[in-house]
Amino acid sequence: MWRYTSTLDVLNIIKASSLATLILTVFVLFVHNFGGFSRSVFIIDWGITIIFLSGFRLCVRFYYDNRSNSSVKNRKGLTNLVKELFVKKKGVKKLLIIGAGNCGQKIAKEVMNNAGLKYDVVGFLDDYTEKVGKKIHGIPVLNFIENLSNVAAKVGAQEILIAVPSAESAQMRRIIEICRESGLEFKIVPDMAELINGNVTVHASRNISFRDLLGREPVKLDQKKVGGYIKGQTVIVTGAGGSIGSELCRQICRFNPKQLILFDNAETPLYQIDLELKRYFIRVDIVPVLGDIQNRNEL
């Protein structure tokens, strides 16, 4: 859990250490009147306690951040810290997140840092016993997923977000059924194939679809072989605006083609996938073409 240590956790350590030092100082003052005690010892003890308690946690956090090459993005300035701690958003929905893993903590962090999101994360639910009762970014892991209805009523949750993109179909069906029984509105974070370059955001959430309930196991591709076939090539995808075509385009862009031609006869889906790809894959030359595959000369 220490890999999710935040500035809020460090502040909590400072508060706890300060309170403990104050109590200890008052006790020594009344009992011994500082007899035989150097007053500087209390300050040194306070400082060393904070350094060791927070320092070790931050070392764990920095280790995982550097391993995923995201340490720079996760640093916060003083202004953001003040906003996170003291600025409360008005007219927000209380959000309960299912899944206290990497995906869930990224969603929670985005909600905390983005004042434009009208959500307030009130807690996590997870089936891992080790996580229940602990906190991530100051937000508690309240209970197990099966106790969703009781927890939601207790904390006044208004919406649920399923942030378990790696869940198998059977597990996902169980979670969805529990969400339906709660009677609350719920959405899901897409599976990893739908997340572009690891970008996990609240905006990526969507309503439940049949894809989430399919019992198929994910297909494992030979990344090196596929990359060697596509890299530096000009690729055309017909039906690029459809569900299969658009996903193919996303995956193809990961292998750095020289140019990707999006061919489709539906203008709106073509426009949407064109905007999405140009946003996330700025190095790939994306060319949208509105046309009909049944027109031989045009093709």
Side-chain angles (χ1 to χ4, degrees):
M1 302 297 285
W2 285 358
R3 73 177 68 183
Y4 306 130
T5 299
S6 67
T7 50
L8 185 60
D9 296 315
V10 175
L11 283 179
N12 286 334
I13 290 175
I14 294 175
K15 291 176 184 177
S17 298
S18 300
L19 179 60
T21 300
L22 178 62
I23 293 173
L24 181 61
T25 304
V26 172
F27 175 81
V28 173
L29 173 62
F30 280 95
V31 176
H32 301 284
N33 196 25
F34 289 123
F37 292 92
S38 172
R39 289 161 177 76
S40 61
V41 168
F42 299 97
I43 300 176
I44 295 173
D45 173 72
W46 174 78
I48 292 178
T49 300
I50 293 174
I51 290 172
F52 274 91
L53 286 177
S54 60
F56 190 79
R57 286 164 170 78
L58 290 175
C59 285
V60 175
R61 162 74 182 273
F62 290 150
Y63 168 76
Y64 282 100
D65 282 352
N66 289 329
R67 194 175 69 169
S68 61
N69 296 320
S70 61
S71 59
V72 176
K73 294 188 295 182
N74 290 336
R75 290 176 187 160
K76 297 180 182 178
L78 180 59
T79 303
N80 288 337
L81 172 61
V82 173
K83 288 182 179 179
E84 178 183 324
L85 296 178
F86 300 109
V87 178
K88 298 298 182 181
K89 295 177 286 186
K90 297 181 179 179
V92 300
K93 283 186 176 181
K94 291 185 177 182
L95 181 66
L96 197 58
I97 299 179
I98 294 180
N102 283 323
C103 181
Q105 69 91 13
K106 287 180 180 178
I107 294 290
K109 190 172 183 180
E110 183 188 5
V111 172
M112 294 169 64
N113 293 339
N114 192 341
L117 295 173
K118 300 299 181 181
Y119 288 103
D120 177 26
V121 181
V122 293
F124 294 94
L125 293 177
D126 203 287
D127 280 339
Y128 282 93
T129 307
E130 296 82 0
K131 295 183 179 181
V132 176
K134 295 183 173 64
K135 292 185 177 182
I136 300 176
H137 302 314
I139 303 171
V141 182
L142 299 169
N143 213 315
F144 300 111
I145 298 175
E146 61 185 15
N147 297 321
L148 170 61
S149 297
N150 294 333
V151 173
K154 186 176 180 180
V155 299
Q158 298 168 285
E159 192 168 322
I160 302 167
L161 182 64
I162 303 174
V164 194
S166 60
E168 297 180 353
S169 57
Q171 183 184 6
M172 184 59 67
R173 284 195 294 268
R174 167 180 165 265
I175 294 174
I176 291 173
E177 184 61 31
I178 293 173
C179 290
R180 284 174 175 165
E181 291 176 357
S182 72
L184 297 175
E185 179 182 355
F186 62 95
K187 293 183 178 180
I188 186 173
V189 174
D191 60 34
M192 285 309 190
E194 298 178 69
L195 302 178
I196 305 298
N197 287 344
N199 289 292
V200 182
T201 67
V202 175
H203 300 294
S205 63
R206 55 168 170 76
N207 293 325
I208 304 296
S209 70
F210 68 91
R211 292 176 294 173
D212 305 310
L213 306 177
L214 292 177
R216 299 181 302 189
E217 293 298 323
V219 177
K220 295 182 179 180
L221 299 177
D222 186 338
Q223 303 284 337
K224 187 176 181 180
K225 189 174 182 180
V226 175
Y229 177 73
I230 293 177
K231 186 176 181 180
Q233 301 294 319
T234 298
V235 182
I236 180 171
V237 176
T238 61
S243 59
I244 296 177
S246 60
E247 183 59 35
L248 277 173
C249 292
R250 295 185 188 100
Q251 300 301 327
I252 289 171
C253 284
R254 293 173 50 215
F255 298 102
N256 297 317
K258 178 182 178 182
Q259 186 179 69
L260 178 61
I261 301 174
L262 314 177
F263 195 87
D264 204 297
N265 64 350
E267 185 172 0
T268 299
L270 180 64
Y271 175 70
Q272 291 173 342
I273 188 63
D274 179 43
L275 282 183
E276 178 184 330
L277 295 179
K278 286 180 177 177
R279 176 183 178 187
Y280 291 110
F281 301 100
I282 58 178
R283 295 184 179 180
V284 180
D285 182 18
I286 309 292
V287 181
V289 177
L290 185 64
D292 192 343
I293 193 175
Q294 298 181 83
N295 188 323
R296 182 185 297 271
N297 294 329
E298 186 176 31
L299 184 60

